[in-house]
Amino acid sequence: MKPTIQAFYDPATWTVSYVVFDESGGNCAIIDPVLDYDPKSGRTGTHSADKLIAFIRERRLSVEWILETHAHADHLSSADYLKHQVGGKTGIGDHIPAVQKTFKKIFNLGDEFVPDGHHFDHLFADGELFSVGNLTGKAISVSGHTPADLAYQFDDAVFVGDTLFMPDIGTARADFPGGDAHQLFHSIRKILALPSTTRLFMCHDYPPATRTAVWESTVAQQRARNIHVHDNIDENAFVSMRNRRDATLEMPNLLLPSIQVNIRAGKLPPVETNGVAYFKIPVNLI
């Protein structure tokens, strides 16, 4: 059964979230939801997430899953808020403990943070199948951007996370802790080995001035036109390009707060004795 897909674009973080469902009145999965965050004030908001909730309620959908393609470094996840509002189990790739261990050390998190993935309801293995109503989903390991990246496939639609961008933008960076450009190349080729008409849905778009934001392409389009990884680019050329480019990139604006939320499945850090939660900012480390 082919999924019905509704996209929600957040221009503040260039993130695309999705509601994937079988039919109105049926079941759905939410993919990569955004929690609004103002870095100037430190305040969070739910405007973006509430758009998803309104759509879900309008279509009378039951939420089975809230899926993360990885622990994002460019936006905060609203998975915990959505879970409390509309239900659903949170899921991410089963290599998330490696990411949690890395950032537990970077942020010097206390004994309360156990990096074993238990913050999520389910950790998906590569190739694992799961159900969303009448839909069958498949988790596909696509490590390289981070060690725990997953793509999610529903029939002819694949949600690729940060592995690929639109063909005129290219591919994800691979210089975060645990990232690897060689792994990223092989993960991309795994996706591009799917049938040429397979629809690919991006987690981000960074549109140039010449076009508006878009987030859907096909395997054929990516193989022919992706500026970083079309069919005439071999592994060594890709890795060389990716490493050179990554060395010029700044860290994402919301890296430090977003990671602290996203490794906790969308939960804020624990409140302290005064009832306030705080983000840690490591100085001269990253």
Side-chain angles (χ1 to χ4, degrees):
M1 181 177 184
K2 291 185 183 297
T4 302
I5 299 163
Q6 180 65 46
F8 297 83
Y9 180 65
D10 174 43
T13 61
W14 302 281
T15 303
V16 190
S17 305
Y18 298 95
V19 176
V20 182
F21 60 103
D22 52 5
E23 58 187 348
S24 292
N27 297 274
C28 73
I30 300 168
I31 301 177
D32 291 336
V34 173
L35 183 70
D36 305 315
Y37 179 69
D38 179 3
K40 296 178 181 178
S41 67
R43 288 190 172 274
T44 62
T46 61
H47 178 71
S48 296
D50 289 338
K51 290 182 179 179
L52 276 66
I53 292 172
F55 177 82
I56 287 165
R57 289 176 174 165
E58 176 189 348
R59 294 298 182 98
R60 309 182 315 280
L61 299 172
S62 297
V63 179
E64 292 201 30
W65 290 99
I66 304 170
L67 304 172
E68 302 285 1
T69 55
H70 62 294
H72 306 272
D74 42 23
H75 70 270
L76 283 66
S77 170
S78 59
D80 188 60
Y81 171 74
L82 288 166
K83 181 177 178 179
H84 284 88
Q85 294 296 314
V86 293
K89 300 184 292 292
T90 55
I92 200 168
D94 62 2
H95 291 295
I96 190 63
V99 177
Q100 291 177 322
K101 289 173 185 175
T102 295
F103 285 102
K104 176 172 183 171
K105 182 177 180 180
I106 288 174
F107 291 112
N108 195 31
L109 301 179
D111 293 340
E112 60 84 18
F113 185 81
V114 180
D116 60 1
H118 77 274
H119 311 78
F120 298 84
D121 295 315
H122 187 76
L123 305 184
F124 286 99
D126 183 27
E128 183 174 348
L129 301 180
F130 60 99
S131 296
V132 177
N134 295 317
L135 301 174
T136 297
K138 180 180 179 180
I140 304 171
S141 176
V142 287
S143 61
H145 176 58
T146 81
D149 278 58
L150 278 187
Y152 296 101
Q153 181 174 11
F154 297 89
D155 197 76
D156 71 332
V158 180
F159 299 84
V160 299
D162 283 11
T163 306
L164 280 167
F165 299 139
M166 293 302 291
D168 60 338
I169 304 299
T171 59
R173 65 196 298 166
D175 62 335
F176 291 150
D180 185 283
H182 289 280
Q183 290 181 7
L184 181 60
F185 179 83
H186 288 287
S187 294
I188 291 170
R189 296 314 305 182
K190 182 192 298 187
I191 292 172
L192 298 186
L194 293 169
S196 62
T197 57
T198 302
R199 297 179 292 161
L200 304 179
F201 292 86
M202 313 299 118
C203 182
H204 296 284
D205 188 38
Y206 306 97
T210 54
R211 66 168 175 81
T212 58
V214 289
W215 40 81
E216 180 180 349
S217 66
T218 65
V219 165
Q221 290 166 348
Q222 294 282 357
R223 293 184 66 164
R225 302 201 303 267
N226 188 288
I227 60 172
H228 293 166
V229 71
H230 57 75
D231 279 353
N232 292 324
I233 301 292
D234 65 19
E235 180 175 354
N236 289 335
F238 173 81
V239 170
S240 178
M241 175 283 300
R242 191 68 266 168
N243 289 340
R244 287 195 311 271
R245 179 168 171 77
D246 289 350
T248 71
L249 298 177
E250 296 181 350
M251 288 293 101
N253 292 335
L254 298 183
L255 170 69
L256 297 176
S258 64
I259 287 293
Q260 294 175 71
V261 168
N262 297 342
I263 60 174
R264 293 181 168 97
K267 299 180 181 68
L268 294 176
V271 298
E272 300 193 9
T273 55
N274 61 352
V276 178
Y278 292 88
F279 290 129
K280 288 188 170 186
I281 307 296
V283 179
N284 298 328
L285 178 61
I286 295 178

